[in-house]
Amino acid sequence: MSLVEHLKELRRRLLIALAAMLVGTILGYIWYDASVLGTPSLGDILKEPYCKIPAEDRLGGELGDCRFIATAPFDMFMLRLKVGFLAGLVLSAPVWFGQLWGFITPGLKKNEKRWTRGFASVATLLFVIGAVLAYFVLSFGLEFLMGIADNTQISALSGIAYLSFALGLLLIFGVSFEVPLVTVMLNLAGILPYQVLKEKRRIIIMFLFIFAAFMTPGQDPVSMVILAVSLCLMMEIATQFARVNDKRRAKRAGFSPDAFFTDDLDDEEGSTICRAAPLGAAGGDLKAPSPVASSRPVHASRKERFQDDSGRPPGMSSDLNARYDSTNLDDIL
């Protein structure tokens, strides 16, 4: 396809993706305040962690009421529209992700398609697991934050403030759960070996706790600790995967796996093992070095065969001496 044809295809697929997002946004806008097929409304699902706060810690709790406040005329409309748009992105994900896959897949090889499809599936699963965990953590975080000074104040959150906090927490947990997958990808590509992960394990754990402390929206200790511990566990799983994968590479490359996982392995051997079976390679086995063949006598060159004791070819007349002296015989031959 020419460049113009690629641009036309990109435009067509973008229009289809945007149309799917628009339909999904409309459905999400309706679902925000309506029950669908017996399921709770989207608004009730999102505000459930807030409603789990003790009644005495939130406004209207004594009366059995659990609603947010609005401080501007367009707050409720913008809140519903924002939630509907995010729900539309999720509902239309199969369509726009399929359009994206259909655009890039013609340029991929067969093994690259297989690896890309597998990593995309795992990335989606990890994001969902992180978001679901954040949803259950949200109620504990809110209970801690809203009950710090319950004797002197009462919580009355606006819908925009609560939604920003809740969606931020869901997003941070979902994206953070992709870190172990990135580690596995770098190890499969031969960039991040197990030895590095093993030696830097304490630094990685400290960095994950610092990352959780800064990235959690409320900076409350409950959500921070849960996120940090979850990331540490998943990073340990990724580290053990790298250990098994590097041991397999060491065996294929002809190195002893037991010798590979010692501190005495030099950088050249580790680098050789990491490059022994690159990502997507069919085999990865290295052939054993073959012995160098014995030397054979070199035949005399054409110049030596045709030259006499005088250094000139036989039969060359004296009038050609000047030409012979000034010209390379190999070029003449």
Side-chain angles (χ1 to χ4, degrees):
M1 297 176 63
S2 63
L3 178 60
V4 176
E5 291 173 338
H6 275 295
L7 293 177
K8 289 182 179 180
E9 182 188 10
L10 178 61
R11 181 184 62 181
R12 179 178 63 84
R13 293 188 179 277
L14 283 177
L15 291 177
I16 295 176
L18 290 176
M21 292 179 187
L22 178 60
V23 174
T25 301
I26 295 175
L27 294 178
Y29 185 86
I30 298 174
W31 184 24
Y32 178 81
D33 201 27
S35 177
V36 179
L37 300 178
T39 60
S41 64
L42 189 57
D44 292 337
I45 295 176
L46 289 176
K47 74 178 183 179
E48 182 178 357
Y50 175 73
C51 295
K52 289 183 179 180
I53 299 177
E56 60 273 11
D57 293 340
R58 51 185 172 83
L59 185 64
E62 297 83 354
L63 303 177
D65 197 7
C66 180
R67 290 187 294 178
F68 301 112
I69 63 173
T71 58
F74 283 96
D75 275 0
M76 301 306 297
F77 173 75
M78 295 303 299
L79 174 64
R80 186 168 180 175
L81 183 62
K82 187 175 182 178
V83 174
F85 175 72
L86 295 177
L89 287 180
V90 177
L91 294 176
S92 62
V95 178
W96 58 261
F97 187 78
Q99 294 299 318
L100 176 63
W101 177 255
F103 181 75
I104 65 175
T105 189
L108 300 177
K109 298 179 181 179
K110 185 177 181 180
N111 61 330
E112 293 174 341
K113 293 178 183 179
R114 183 178 67 254
W115 283 103
T116 305
R117 190 182 298 111
F119 280 123
S121 302
V122 175
T124 303
L125 179 62
L126 290 177
F127 185 88
V128 172
I129 293 175
V132 171
L133 178 61
Y135 181 79
F136 289 103
V137 172
L138 182 59
S139 58
F140 296 101
L142 284 175
E143 184 176 356
F144 173 81
L145 294 174
M146 298 293 103
I148 292 179
D150 53 353
N151 294 327
T152 57
Q153 62 186 12
I154 190 171
S155 64
L157 295 179
S158 65
I160 297 295
Y162 172 78
L163 181 65
S164 299
F165 174 79
L167 294 180
L169 191 65
L170 296 176
L171 183 62
I172 290 300
F173 268 70
V175 174
S176 299
F177 271 50
E178 306 293 337
V179 175
L181 179 62
V182 176
T183 303
V184 171
M185 292 175 63
L186 293 177
N187 177 260
L188 289 174
I191 301 175
L192 187 60
Y194 166 73
Q195 281 295 118
V196 176
L197 295 174
K198 178 183 177 181
E199 295 173 357
K200 307 298 183 183
R201 180 182 276 117
R202 295 181 179 179
I203 299 178
I204 293 175
I205 293 176
M206 182 185 67
F207 172 77
L208 291 177
F209 272 88
I210 296 175
F211 172 81
F214 279 95
M215 295 306 296
T216 48
Q219 281 81 41
D220 60 287
V222 177
S223 57
M224 180 197 73
V225 171
I226 293 178
L227 176 59
V229 172
S230 301
L231 288 179
C232 289
L233 291 176
M234 298 189 68
M235 279 299 300
E236 185 61 29
I237 295 175
T239 302
Q240 295 305 316
F241 175 88
R243 176 178 178 272
V244 175
N245 184 58
D246 285 356
K247 182 178 292 188
R248 176 182 59 85
R249 281 182 175 172
K251 186 176 180 180
R252 288 186 176 183
F255 293 89
S256 174
D258 296 333
F260 172 68
F261 293 101
T262 60
D263 296 334
D264 297 334
L265 184 69
D266 56 25
D267 295 337
E268 184 177 357
E269 289 177 336
S271 177
T272 303
I273 294 173
C274 290
R275 294 193 301 267
L279 181 62
D285 297 334
L286 297 181
K287 296 182 179 180
S290 57
V292 180
S294 59
S295 61
R296 291 176 297 180
V298 181
H299 296 288
S301 63
R302 298 175 66 180
K303 177 179 178 181
E304 294 174 348
R305 291 200 304 266
F306 287 95
Q307 285 180 352
D308 54 13
D309 296 338
S310 63
R312 298 193 304 270
M316 177 177 287
S317 60
S318 59
D319 59 343
L320 296 178
N321 286 343
R323 291 179 57 188
Y324 174 74
D325 295 336
S326 61
T327 306
N328 190 347
L329 181 60
D330 291 332
D331 295 338
I332 297 176
L333 295 175

